[in-house]
C-alpha cells in the first residue's frame, strides 16, 4: 500500500503512508482492510491518492530471527543524533560517510522509500527511494516474542524491526539509520547484524515531518542482487525461545 496527498508520489504528491504484509489467500481481505485503514488514518493527513496491490508469491519464504533490541533513553535530540552516529561508526560506517549526512538528509526525506548509500564512494547509489517489501511476522509468534521480552505491543516498532531484520541480514548491508517522517513519532534506531536493533527515544523534534531511512551498503558487493532481495525475497521473522 502507498498513499500520498497532492497526487501520486510520482506526480509530486507528499508521501503519507505505506505498508506491506504477507498473507494467505484467505487472509487477503483482512490484510487489504488493515492497510486501507492504515493509510486513511495517518497523522500526516488524509491521502487523495492510494494504491493497494497484491501479488502471488511463488518463491519460498525465508525465516529470519528478529534482531536483538536495545533501548537508549536520551535527554535531547542532539544527544540522540550523536549516539546514532557513534553507533553507525561501531557498525562499520566510515566517518566520511557520516559527515555527508547533514547535507543529504533534507532531500532524502521526501520520497516514500529508503536510500542506499555506498560507504566506499560516500554517495547514494540510487536517488529514487527503494521500497522493501514481502516481509512480515506472524501475529502469534510476535506476541510470544513481546511477552517474553516484556516489550509493550507496538505495531510501528514491530514493522520497523521486521524491516531492519530483513535489510541487515544480507552480506551487502553495513547498517541502517531510521526515524519516522510522522510528526508525532520521534523514536528511531540504528541497526546492523552485529549491533542489533538499537532504539533511540529522540532522534528528531516533535512536529518535524522529515524522516530518514538510509541503508549503508558495501558497494563492492553485488548491489543489484541486494536490491532484488529487498524488493522480492519473501521473509518471515520467526522467534524461538533460547533453550
Ligand atoms: N521500504 C523502504 N523505505 C520505507 C519503508 C519500506 N518498506 N517503509 C517506510 N520507509 C521509509 C519511508 O521513506 C518513510 O518516509 C520513512 O521510511 C519512515 O517511515 O519505536 O515509523 O513508517 O522502535 O514513518 C522507527 C522506530 C519508526 C520504531 C520508523 O517509519 C520503534 C517509522 P515510517
Ligand atoms: Mg511514516
Amino acid at each position: 500500500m502507498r498513499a500520498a496527498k497532492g497526487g501520486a508520489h510520482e506526480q509530486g504528491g507528499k508521501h503519507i503512508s505505506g505498508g506491506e504484509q504477507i498473507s494467505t489467500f484467505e487472509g487477503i481481505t483482512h490484510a487489504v482492510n488493515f492497510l486501507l485503514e492504515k493509510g486513511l488514518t495517518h497523522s500526516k493527513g488524509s491521502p487523495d491518492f492510494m494504491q493497494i496491490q497484491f501479488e502471488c508469491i511463488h518463491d519460498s519464504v525465508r525465516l529470519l530471527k528478529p534482531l536483538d533490541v536495545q533501548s537508549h533513553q536520551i535527554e535531547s535530540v542532539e544527544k540522540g543524533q550523536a549516539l546514532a552516529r557513534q553507533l553507525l561508526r561501531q557498525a562499520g560506517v566510515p566517518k566520511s560517510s557520516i559527515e555527508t549526512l547533514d547535507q543529504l538528509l533534507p532531500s532524502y526525506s521526501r520520497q516514500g522509500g529508503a536510500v542506499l548509500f555506498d560507504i566506499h564512494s560516500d554517495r547514494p547509489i540510487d536517488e529514487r527511494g527503494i521500497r522493501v517489501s514481502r516481509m512480515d511476522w506472524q501475529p502469534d509468534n510476535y506476541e510470544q516474542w513481546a511477552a517474553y521480552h516484556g516489550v509493550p505491543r507496538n505495531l510501528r516498532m514491530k514493522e520497523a524491526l521486521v524491516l531492519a531484520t530483513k535489510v541487515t541480514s544480507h552480506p551487502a548491508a553495513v547498517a541502517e539509520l531510521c526515524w519516522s517522517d510522522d510528526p508525532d513519532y520521534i523514536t528511531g534506531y540504528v541497526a546492523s547484524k552485529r549491533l542489533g536493533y538499537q532504539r533511540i527515544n529522540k532522534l528528531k523534534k516533535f512536529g518535524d515531518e522529515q524522516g530518514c531511512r538510509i541503508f549503508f551498503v558495501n558497494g563492492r558487493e553485488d548491489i543489484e542482487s541486494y536490491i532484488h532481495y529487498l524488493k522480492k525475497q519473501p521473509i518471515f521473522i520467526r522467534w524461538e525461545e533460547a533453550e
Side-chain angles (χ1 to χ4, degrees):
M1 179 277 291
R2 61 188 182 111
K5 191 183 181 81
H9 300 81
E10 56 275 20
Q11 282 153 4
K14 173 173 101 165
H15 177 70
I16 296 284
S17 174
E20 30 278 311
Q21 291 200 345
I22 296 179
S23 159
T24 58
F25 186 80
E26 290 70 30
I28 290 176
T29 307
H30 184 266
V32 169
N33 281 336
F34 174 88
L35 293 168
L36 176 66
E37 185 76 16
K38 184 183 181 200
L40 283 178
T41 54
H42 200 279
S43 64
K44 285 184 80 182
S46 303
D48 54 25
F49 168 88
M50 191 188 289
Q51 202 165 49
I52 302 183
Q53 175 179 325
F54 72 80
E55 51 192 352
C56 180
I57 294 177
H58 296 283
D59 307 323
S60 56
V61 180
R62 194 181 296 171
L63 298 179
L64 293 176
K65 291 197 188 95
L67 291 174
D68 289 337
V69 175
Q70 203 178 332
S71 291
H72 305 268
Q73 302 293 322
I74 297 291
E75 67 236 40
S76 69
V77 177
E78 290 70 29
K79 288 193 176 152
Q81 282 286 340
L83 175 60
R85 281 151 214 247
Q86 188 190 322
L87 290 165
L88 287 172
R89 290 284 291 130
Q90 281 176 35
V93 179
K95 210 167 161 200
S96 55
S97 297
I98 293 171
E99 278 165 0
T100 61
L101 278 178
D102 287 330
Q103 306 142 17
L104 293 170
L105 282 174
S107 60
Y108 278 11
S109 129
R110 277 191 286 272
Q111 359 106 340
V115 169
L116 266 58
F117 190 92
D118 177 16
I119 61 161
H120 294 298
S121 65
D122 283 336
R123 300 170 84 87
I125 285 177
D126 196 331
E127 297 289 347
R128 291 161 304 164
I130 289 192
R131 192 88 202 161
V132 189
S133 194
R134 301 194 173 183
M135 68 281 185
D136 210 339
W137 192 350
Q138 300 287 76
D140 53 343
N141 186 258
Y142 166 72
E143 299 285 336
Q144 287 168 17
W145 172 88
Y148 182 87
H149 290 92
V151 177
R153 269 176 277 136
N154 174 342
L155 262 186
R156 185 192 292 271
M157 184 195 166
K158 177 188 173 190
E159 284 178 358
L161 183 55
V162 169
L163 183 144
T165 302
K166 177 171 185 183
V167 165
T168 57
S169 84
H170 190 278
V174 178
E176 181 191 354
L177 172 66
C178 167
W179 62 87
S180 181
D181 57 347
D182 304 6
D184 54 356
Y185 205 83
I186 63 172
T187 297
Y189 65 87
V190 171
S192 85
K193 203 175 189 152
R194 203 160 39 82
L195 296 181
Y197 183 91
Q198 301 271 346
R199 283 182 100 197
I200 302 172
N201 66 329
K202 291 190 188 72
L203 277 180
K204 69 168 193 185
K205 295 207 158 52
F206 257 108
D208 189 347
E209 285 199 1
Q210 204 171 92
C212 166
R213 202 154 227 148
I214 301 180
F215 305 155
F216 293 92
V217 300
N218 177 354
R220 291 175 191 155
E221 295 276 343
D222 182 352
I223 298 302
E224 281 309 309
S225 91
Y226 183 45
I227 293 173
H228 181 84
Y229 164 85
L230 293 174
K231 292 181 172 171
K232 301 287 184 199
Q233 171 66 50
I235 297 282
F236 268 139
I237 304 305
R238 187 153 190 93
W239 173 77
E240 266 161 50
E241 192 177 336
E243 291 296 311

